[in-house]
Amino acid sequence: MSRIRVGVIGAGMISQVEHIPNLLRLGDLFEVVGVADPSRISRQFVTDTHGVPGFETPEQLFDQRLDAVVIGSPDPLHYEQVLAALARGLHVFCEKPLCYSPAEIADIIAARYSTGKVVQVGYMKRFDPSYRLALESLPGAAGTLRSVSVEVNDPDAWPFIAHQRYKRGGDIPKELIATAIAKQRQQVERAVGMPLTDLAFRGFTGAYSSALIHDVNAVHGLLDALEVPDGEIVGAQIFANGDGGQGAVKLLGGQALWTMTHLTVPKLADYKERITLFFDDASLELEFPSPWLNHHPTRLTVKTSDGHTLSTRDLRAGYAEAFVEELRGFRGAIVNGDPVLNPPEHAARDQALLVGLTRRHLSNSPS
């Protein structure tokens, strides 16, 4: 298989700004057959800008000769679209969250096994050169871990895509929007399994499953490298009208604590995302740029002490773009049988934690 014939489902921001341009840049590896989106405005913009044919529905796209699909559609559509693609015998790359519920992800895992196809989730941070170097540069071990801290403030994409070629489609039929909203509500209710407040719903779908999920997945990878098992949720709070999500997980029976906070600050054109691991005598910090700023290296800093003497090392592994490298990884899994770096099993683990945080928030909230 020389080039993977790929279709893209969803012509929104992530597809216009990242996936379609990146697939075209990798033209020796992928042939972009078409894009499917109910918005005529969005798909026509993609056709006019990139020369990619547009289709109104995924089914029309499936009727083309394809090897794989990249799914960048709204979150509540992922479940049905992944299963439909697998049923057509296609390999699948799907943006996060793969699904809201670990039970729905189990259905996808079963379908993947029955079809023998690749399913990869869009956790691009696992392909970040600095993140990969961090896994090799951990300055401590499980026995010396004291804390894991995640801190994110994010205005969303607007300050970072103003220079990009992007057009939002506002012509999606109202009945399709209403159907997607209803599906989302049903999926979240099934996932959480408790009576939902509007605040919990917004926080679970936004601050947790759309934003903090990236850091949850990245920390799980770091903890795996340290051979630290999953911990116990000891705190969670959704705040700021659902734009904020916080959680705390006790690790190693209380030896260490993992804290995480994500906050959307909608009118502040500033982005900060830090993951810091503290050990008895050292620390490692990853400071990520906005994911929309391509080829901006993540800063990796390791600090150690020799008595009163502090040593700080800034490590840089290169300028490769994580959004591009994850597509290379997808192709490698299809063509060469390379291990899938972000399989559905990882998504199930991440969503189980986010569901648990939401339940903890609800249990702490006044009825």
Side-chain angles (χ1 to χ4, degrees), residues 86-87 89-90 110-118:
L86 288 172
L90 303 176
R112 180 202 60 189
Y113 277 125
S114 67
T115 61
K117 298 300 177 180
V118 170

Side-chain angles (χ1 to χ4, degrees), residues 44-204:
Q44 188 62 49
F45 179 79
V46 171
T47 299
D48 293 342
T49 304
H50 300 292
V52 175
F55 300 89
E56 186 174 358
T57 68
E59 289 72 25
Q60 293 171 351
L61 182 61
F62 290 151
D63 287 339
Q64 311 307 304
R65 191 161 63 89
L66 298 175
D67 303 307
V69 292
V70 169
I71 297 177
S73 57
D75 299 347
L77 304 182
H78 291 177
Y79 175 68
E80 63 191 60
Q81 291 174 352
V82 171
L83 290 178
L86 288 172
R88 293 285 189 123
L90 303 176
H91 302 284
V92 178
F93 176 101
C94 183
E95 264 302 328
K96 56 74 194 169
L98 178 58
C99 297
Y100 290 122
S101 166
E104 291 176 340
I105 297 174
D107 293 340
I108 290 174
I109 292 171
R112 180 202 60 189
Y113 277 125
S114 67
T115 61
K117 298 300 177 180
V118 170
V119 179
Q120 180 177 318
V121 185
Y123 293 125
M124 79 289 185
K125 283 183 168 55
R126 292 285 186 120
F127 290 86
D128 184 313
S130 294
Y131 178 83
R132 288 180 155 181
L133 183 57
L135 295 175
E136 303 170 4
S137 307
L138 291 164
T144 61
L145 181 67
R146 300 178 70 86
S147 173
V148 180
S149 173
V150 173
E151 305 166 87
V152 188
N153 62 272
D154 178 7
D156 209 345
W158 59 270
F160 313 113
I161 66 165
H163 62 290
Q164 296 278 13
R165 302 169 79 181
Y166 166 64
K167 189 168 187 176
R168 182 182 179 89
D171 60 334
I172 298 175
K174 292 181 179 179
E175 60 270 21
L176 288 182
I177 296 174
T179 298
I181 291 173
K183 286 180 180 178
Q184 184 181 45
R185 189 79 190 193
Q186 292 166 1
Q187 290 171 5
V188 173
E189 288 174 350
R190 287 197 299 266
V192 176
M194 293 175 63
L196 278 173
T197 62
D198 288 342
L199 176 63
F201 176 81
R202 289 192 296 270
F204 177 75

Side-chain angles (χ1 to χ4, degrees), residues 347-358:
R349 180 189 188 188
D350 300 334
Q351 284 304 131
L353 177 57
L354 297 175
V355 167
L357 292 175
T358 306

Side-chain angles (χ1 to χ4, degrees), residues 125-288:
K125 283 183 168 55
R126 292 285 186 120
F127 290 86
D128 184 313
S130 294
Y131 178 83
R132 288 180 155 181
L133 183 57
L135 295 175
E136 303 170 4
S137 307
L138 291 164
T144 61
L145 181 67
R146 300 178 70 86
S147 173
V148 180
S149 173
V150 173
E151 305 166 87
V152 188
N153 62 272
D154 178 7
D156 209 345
W158 59 270
F160 313 113
I161 66 165
H163 62 290
Q164 296 278 13
R165 302 169 79 181
Y166 166 64
K167 189 168 187 176
R168 182 182 179 89
D171 60 334
I172 298 175
K174 292 181 179 179
E175 60 270 21
L176 288 182
I177 296 174
T179 298
I181 291 173
K183 286 180 180 178
Q184 184 181 45
R185 189 79 190 193
Q186 292 166 1
Q187 290 171 5
V188 173
E189 288 174 350
R190 287 197 299 266
V192 176
M194 293 175 63
L196 278 173
T197 62
D198 288 342
L199 176 63
F201 176 81
R202 289 192 296 270
F204 177 75
T205 56
Y208 283 165
S209 295
S210 182
L212 199 57
I213 187 171
H214 273 299
D215 302 284
V216 166
N217 180 263
V219 170
H220 275 150
L222 292 164
L223 294 178
D224 286 346
L226 291 168
E227 298 184 347
V228 173
D230 291 351
E232 174 190 352
I233 294 171
V234 294
Q237 196 60 238
I238 293 169
F239 58 98
N241 199 35
D243 284 342
Q246 175 270 345
V249 178
K250 182 170 66 175
L251 301 171
L252 300 167
Q255 172 190 306
L257 185 68
W258 170 12
T259 59
M260 62 194 93
T261 304
H262 182 283
L263 177 64
T264 298
V265 187
K267 298 180 181 180
L268 179 67
D270 177 59
Y271 185 95
K272 289 289 189 303
E273 181 177 12
R274 294 171 295 274
I275 297 176
T276 310
L277 280 70
F278 292 96
F279 300 88
D280 286 349
D281 56 357
S283 69
L284 179 146
E285 182 176 271
L286 286 157
E287 184 173 350
F288 297 91

Side-chain angles (χ1 to χ4, degrees), residues 3 40 152 245 336:
R3 292 203 300 167
R40 184 193 59 81
V152 188
N336 304 323

